[in-house]
Amino acid sequence: RQQFSFPSIFIYGHTSSGKTYVMQTLLTTLQLPHVFVNCVEYFTSRLLLEEILTQLQSCSGTEQTSPVRCDSLNDFVRLFKQAVASPELQDQTLYIVLDRAEQLREMEANILPAFLRLQELTDRNVTVVLLSEIVWELFRPNIGCFEPFTMYFPDYSIGHLQKILSQNHPPEYSADFYAAYINILLGVFYMVCRDLKELRHLAALNFAKYCEPVVRGEASERDTRKLWKNIEPHLKKAMQTVYLREIS
């Protein structure tokens, strides 16, 4: 916490592989001072820099009397030094996390290299963490830059997805019944979709249809054959829309 950390970290992996959740959980649980900004929401360099400075004021306990104005990278470095000089941020690493960081490539050419070496530019104990869905080789600017420490988040395996999705079972049904449903769902969709958010949506969307034979008294929770026969056409229909979204 009190030693200088690596200046920049690049974390990449497919969508819904846990990058954002893990970073937010680590920083919050360990109570580390941090700024978390989504680069899609703050899509210009000025909006991005001003949002970082605004969140920094909250970290430092400074009362915000007026909107932060930042017209250039030089202004940002100067205001950043002032913000982290507060007692609340002394003697510990400040983390700036930029989610959906691939959007930085659409901004001015000096923005990404500056973030990668922000520790050097400000002479402050700060680490910039870039979260992205693309590999560093496609991310690296052509003008050359400081090389960050890279970390890869692999896709969830089918076993991981089974455990995660099974935790959402409705209280009126047994855990084994819902786990069997998730197993059927993954058997259909896993080869074309491994996005956790999409799979969670599909699970919630189709569960009522899966339960219909049980609700009508035509099958028990263990009668997987009848349950599968009832849900199969609905899953096949949903499969077509998922496939179109995945290839578009």
Side-chain angles (χ1 to χ4, degrees):
R1 183 189 289 263
Q2 296 180 352
Q3 297 178 348
F4 269 67
S5 302
F6 204 82
S8 51
I9 301 172
F10 182 80
I11 301 176
Y12 67 101
H14 194 268
T15 182
S16 297
S17 56
K19 304 181 297 296
T20 302
Y21 176 77
V22 168
M23 282 304 305
Q24 288 177 329
T25 302
L26 277 175
L27 294 170
T28 304
T29 302
L30 298 177
Q31 297 182 340
L32 300 174
H34 65 277
V35 169
F36 216 105
V37 183
N38 188 311
C39 296
V40 173
E41 296 179 24
Y42 300 92
F43 53 89
T44 68
S45 58
R46 179 170 179 171
L47 289 174
L48 179 64
L49 298 177
E50 289 180 350
E51 176 60 19
I52 291 172
L53 293 170
T54 299
Q55 290 191 33
L56 267 180
Q57 288 185 339
S58 300
C59 289
S60 62
T62 305
E63 184 177 348
Q64 186 175 344
T65 56
S66 60
V68 178
R69 183 178 178 86
C70 180
D71 295 318
S72 67
L73 193 57
N74 287 335
D75 286 344
F76 174 76
V77 171
R78 175 177 55 82
L79 294 170
F80 182 88
K81 287 182 177 181
Q82 294 175 5
V84 298
S86 64
E88 290 81 0
L89 297 177
Q90 290 293 313
D91 301 324
Q92 56 182 330
T93 304
L94 170 70
Y95 294 88
I96 297 178
V97 184
L98 303 179
D99 200 3
R100 301 293 298 276
E102 55 270 11
Q103 298 299 318
L104 294 175
R105 301 180 303 165
E106 307 299 325
M107 300 181 188
E108 289 86 343
N110 63 339
I111 293 295
L112 176 56
F115 275 123
L116 292 172
R117 52 194 288 261
L118 187 61
Q119 188 179 103
E120 176 188 345
L121 292 174
T122 61
D123 193 28
R124 297 294 186 271
N125 190 2
V126 56
T127 293
V128 176
V129 182
L130 307 175
L131 305 182
S132 177
E133 295 179 10
I134 64 175
V135 298
W136 173 246
E137 287 71 23
L138 297 177
F139 201 102
R140 182 189 288 113
N142 296 327
I143 59 176
C145 64
F146 179 85
E147 293 289 320
F149 178 82
T150 58
M151 187 182 304
Y152 173 59
F153 271 48
D155 289 343
Y156 289 118
S157 68
I158 192 169
H160 291 146
L161 290 171
Q162 173 80 35
K163 290 181 180 179
I164 294 170
L165 294 172
S166 295
Q167 292 175 358
N168 299 325
H169 75 88
E172 61 269 26
Y173 293 98
S174 68
D176 290 342
F177 177 66
Y178 193 74
Y181 164 67
I182 294 299
N183 191 47
I184 290 173
L185 188 85
L186 291 175
V188 174
F189 292 106
Y190 183 72
M191 295 306 296
V192 297
C193 177
R194 301 183 187 183
D195 186 322
L196 180 59
K197 293 178 182 177
E198 180 75 19
L199 290 170
R200 188 170 276 154
H201 169 70
L202 289 167
L205 188 66
N206 293 285
F207 185 61
K209 285 292 181 183
Y210 182 73
C211 297
E212 279 183 353
V214 177
V215 174
R216 293 196 298 259
E218 299 172 357
S220 68
E221 289 190 2
R222 295 182 178 276
D223 198 345
T224 54
R225 189 179 185 86
K226 284 186 178 179
L227 294 170
W228 162 249
K229 191 173 181 179
N230 182 69
I231 193 67
E232 182 182 12
H234 300 284
L235 294 183
K236 286 184 176 180
K237 185 178 179 180
M239 178 83 156
Q240 296 174 359
T241 59
V242 170
Y243 179 72
L244 290 174
R245 283 198 294 273
E246 287 293 316
I247 64 175
S248 62

